[in-house]
Amino acid sequence: MSHFLYLVRHGQQEHAEHGIDDGPLSERGRAQAHAIGRRLATVPFSQSFTSPLDRALETAAIIDSYTQGPSVTPTNLLFDCVPSSGEDAPAHYDSFFSGVNPADIEAGQAQMNDAISTFFTRSREDKHTLLVTHNFVIGYFVRELLGLPEWNWLTLGTGNTALTVLRRRSIRPDELKLFGDLSHLEPSERTGVNWFPDL
């Protein structure tokens, strides 16, 4: 038996390029959310959760209009955060962490510890859980599944409404089924990862 976790990054936020912390989706972000909603329409979700930030709430509401199962529930465990880099992060990341309040990093790590213990679970029957959240949170879940060093969540970036699917198995090894998949979007609709190549 397996617990499938479907992690979806929120759609493109309006005016995100201006450094605004939160806000509604842009027109493109709403189109992205409809596309991932259509893609997930036949998944038999047993539970659905979202970050309480506006860009995630709006994305989740659009997805919810397509999917079956219980309505999406906001939770602070999926809030946008900066977890710890651990003890052995490459010096390359020092400048990033120097710009973050240490108290916020401590809070982010505590949040991720709680999120992992709450959602990163096994099941005695097939179970499908939707999590609409943020880039760093998704990276942390994938790092946990793969057993990578603490800091590796920094290297696992995904685009807006990218789909990542983790499979927690009751007996056999866990699986990373999809990571950052954007096949529901045309190349011109893909945003949120500045290194993404033109295809």
Side-chain angles (χ1 to χ4, degrees), residues 67-82:
T67 56
Q68 309 299 313
S71 296
V72 70
T73 301
T75 172
N76 288 338
L77 295 180
L78 298 177
F79 200 81
D80 199 7
C81 69
V82 176

Side-chain angles (χ1 to χ4, degrees), residues 69-103:
S71 296
V72 70
T73 301
T75 172
N76 288 338
L77 295 180
L78 298 177
F79 200 81
D80 199 7
C81 69
V82 176
S84 169
S85 64
E87 301 277 325
D88 57 350
H92 171 79
Y93 297 110
D94 288 350
S95 60
F96 171 79
F97 283 102
S98 67
V100 183
N101 186 318

Side-chain angles (χ1 to χ4, degrees), residues 25 28 73 82 97 154 161 168 196:
L25 297 180
R28 178 178 284 180
T73 301
V82 176
F97 283 102
L154 281 159
T161 69
R168 296 279 281 159
F196 198 84

Side-chain angles (χ1 to χ4, degrees), residues 14-30:
E14 191 169 37
H15 305 309
E17 69 276 12
H18 301 304
I20 298 171
D21 286 342
D22 193 25
L25 297 180
S26 66
E27 182 177 348
R28 178 178 284 180
R30 289 189 291 275

Side-chain angles (χ1 to χ4, degrees), residues 101-117:
N101 186 318
D104 291 337
I105 295 174
E106 183 177 354
Q109 186 59 51
Q111 173 193 317
M112 288 313 307
N113 291 343
D114 289 345
I116 292 296
S117 65

Side-chain angles (χ1 to χ4, degrees), residues 116-174:
I116 292 296
S117 65
T118 300
F119 299 118
F120 195 68
T121 58
R122 303 189 192 280
S123 176
R124 294 184 178 179
E125 56 187 25
D126 282 344
K127 182 174 161 184
H128 299 265
T129 299
L130 173 65
L131 305 177
V132 180
T133 184
H134 305 275
N135 192 37
F136 291 164
V137 175
I138 294 168
Y140 199 91
F141 270 89
V142 173
R143 181 215 65 78
E144 183 74 16
L145 181 87
L146 298 178
L148 298 174
E150 198 78 31
W151 59 270
N152 267 116
W153 61 266
L154 281 159
T155 69
L156 299 167
T158 60
N160 292 117
T161 69
L163 176 61
T164 295
V165 181
L166 315 181
R167 185 182 187 185
R168 296 279 281 159
R169 307 180 80 177
S170 57
I171 299 174
R172 297 179 182 178
D174 297 333

